[in-house]
């Protein structure tokens, strides 16, 4: 056998490229700060002034929560573009992390102005960091490297380890020291992420170092001018709003935002087709990705009941007593992250084993399965809410079962969809496409909030029908995606043009002797 033909792959991080270590831990700490802070948000907003909160109504607080989570992911769109054309993924991630950390520091200062300014900073920073760090994961692999799906599953595990740390640490600090200590802990988490990012940056071997399609100096200068102008306008608007010169109705804003975000998603996708100078094959690959995006949006709209209607179901309709111990309501939400971490190794191994057997289910197929499995979880909620409607609190196992099923669905769809974005997008628009994809989270989150509005725990009689409808809707869309995936499967297999998928970190040195560590 000719040894020069054998590929020497960097497999120093659990069989994956060493650069994954850098991205895994940075994203783990970023998610620790994001979920840790998010867990306190509604509680903080609705708590009275005496309790250390800011005494908003539940309606305003949940609307702000929906707007915040929607905005965090929405900003991925400009964030991805900035990396592709101006900064490159590495610097976008670095500056994004710094802005997030500053946001949490400001949140830790007890004042209403600090609260809103802190949230705005987290939104801006996450927009820069989230799509770009996620896109860089994919760039660690050459286009024919089968480890990509497994790599994203591992990365996704890091996200959820971070979430667990976040829930535990900020939840504990909130109870024992106050909300602002919880927000401060989120800042410390992000700082740890930044330190390890800087220290282990060389492992990325040049991935994301430069923007893949930089603007010329003139256009870049103009773009920075526009960006600074928009930021200055935002600062002025925030100042006016905080001083009551302009008023914002969060409930009304949340209602229009889901429609606006959906329209923007379609417009952007369309504009990539029209103005992206795509080859025919690139168009087909992005057509296949579109199907995954539809599945992803539907998935999150159902899945994100976790933070809203399932949370209230746990609080008001579930018998949380185990002997003398009352299970805290928030524990149910973190079940998702626990199951995810526990099941991830099996899924990573499953994809690797399937690909060794030359069985590589397409991205569309896996997304359809994920969506169908998630929708099936609502059958359990149908029966659980029927039992609750009879007036008795239900056993905690119902929610445990639902979270388990939803996590299995998430593992089939979510890391796989990230992998699909990185594989199917032209490399020159990697960040931007990840930004468009992250919009599916944004829309899903906002729509989930609107669905949850119809699931009031004070009226459990209305619940079974709505849960059944979600099940039917989810399964039907899943079935359609499944059928369409039969067509898009061959589009996914089209090779990237001109080897543009290759990059410094993934270039394989065929001249290296076999077995070199
Ligand atoms: N838990 C995943 C993450 O934080 C997905 C979040 C989402 O709402 N889609 O990346």
């Amino acid at each position: 056998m000719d040894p020069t033909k054998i590929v020497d792959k960097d497999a120093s991080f659990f069989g994956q490229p060493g650069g994954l270590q850098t991205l895994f831990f940075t994203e783990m700490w970023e998610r620790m700060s994001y979920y840790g802070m998010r867990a306190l948000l509604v509680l903080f907003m609705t708590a009275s002034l005496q309790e250390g909160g800011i005494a908003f109504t539940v309606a305003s607080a949940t609307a702000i929560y929906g707007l915040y989570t929607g905005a965090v992911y929405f900003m991925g769109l400009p964030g991805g573009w900035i990396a592709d054309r101006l900064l490159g993924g590495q610097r976008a991630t670095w500056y994004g992390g710094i802005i997030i950390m500053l946001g949490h520091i400001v949140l830790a200062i007890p004042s209403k102005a600090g609260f809103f300014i802190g949230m705005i900073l987290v939104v801006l920073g996450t927009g820069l960091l989230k799509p770009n760090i996620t896109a860089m994961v994919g760039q660690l692999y050459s286009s024919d490297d089968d480890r990509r799906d497994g790599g994203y599953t591992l990365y996704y595990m890091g996200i959820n380890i971070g979430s667990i740390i976040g829930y535990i640490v900020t939840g504990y600090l909130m109870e024992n020291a106050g909300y602002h200590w919880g927000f401060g802990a989120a800042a410390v988490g992000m700082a740890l992420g930044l330190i390890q990012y800087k220290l282990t940056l060389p492992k990325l071997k040049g991935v994301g170092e430069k923007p893949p399609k930089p603007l010329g100096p003139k256009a870049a200068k103009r773009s920075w001018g526009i960006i600074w102008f928009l930021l200055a306008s935002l600062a002025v608007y925030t100042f006016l709003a905080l001083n009551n010169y302009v008023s914002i109705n969060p409930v009304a804003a949340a209602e229009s935002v889901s429609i606006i975000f959906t329209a923007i998603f379609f417009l952007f996708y369309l504009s990539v087709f029209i103005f992206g100078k795509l080859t025919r094959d690139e168009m087909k690959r992005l057509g296949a990705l579109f199907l995954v995006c539809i599945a992803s949006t539907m998935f999150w709209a159902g899945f994100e009941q976790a933070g809203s209607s399932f949370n209230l179901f746990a609080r008001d309709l579930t018998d949380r007593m185990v002997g003398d111990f009352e299970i805290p309501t928030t524990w149910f939400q973190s079940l998702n992250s626990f199951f995810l971490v526990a099941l991830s190794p099996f899924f990573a191994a499953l994809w690797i084993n399937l690909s060794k057997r030359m069985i590589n289910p397409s991205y569309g197929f896996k997304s359809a399965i994920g969506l169908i499995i998630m929708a099936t979880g609502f059958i359990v909620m149908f029966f659980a809410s029927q039992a609750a409607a009879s007036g008795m609190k239900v056993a905690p196992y119902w929610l445990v079962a639902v979270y388990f099923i939803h996590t299995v669905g998430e593992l089939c769809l979510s890391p796989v969809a990230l992998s699909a974005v990185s594989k199917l997008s032209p490399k020159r628009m990697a960040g931007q496409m990840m930004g468009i994809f992250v919009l599916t989270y944004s829309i899903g989150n906002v729509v989930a909030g609107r669905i949850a509005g119809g699931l009031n725990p004070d009226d459990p009689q209305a619940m079974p029908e709505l849960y059944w409808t979600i099940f039917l809707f989810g399964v039907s869309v899943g079935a359609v995606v499944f059928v369409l995936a039969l067509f898009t499967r061959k589009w996914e297999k089209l090779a990237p043009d001109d080897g543009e998928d290759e990059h410094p970190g993934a270039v394989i040195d065929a001249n290296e002797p076999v077995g070199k560590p």
Side-chain angles (χ1 to χ4, degrees), residues 303-324:
F303 181 94
E304 286 291 344
Q305 295 306 313
S308 46
S309 73
F310 290 178
N311 211 5
L312 298 174
F313 194 92
R315 192 186 69 189
D316 299 340
L317 301 175
T318 302
D319 177 12
R320 288 180 284 112
M321 295 304 292
V322 180
D324 287 342

Side-chain angles (χ1 to χ4, degrees), residues 27 31 34-35 38 73 130 156 159-160 300 304 410 414 441 445:
E27 179 61 345
R31 291 284 100 181
Y34 174 73
Y35 284 108
R38 205 179 91 157
Y73 293 125
K130 179 81 172 158
Y156 209 78
I159 286 179
N160 284 277
W300 295 113
E304 286 291 344
E410 184 182 3
S414 187
Y441 295 179
N445 270 280

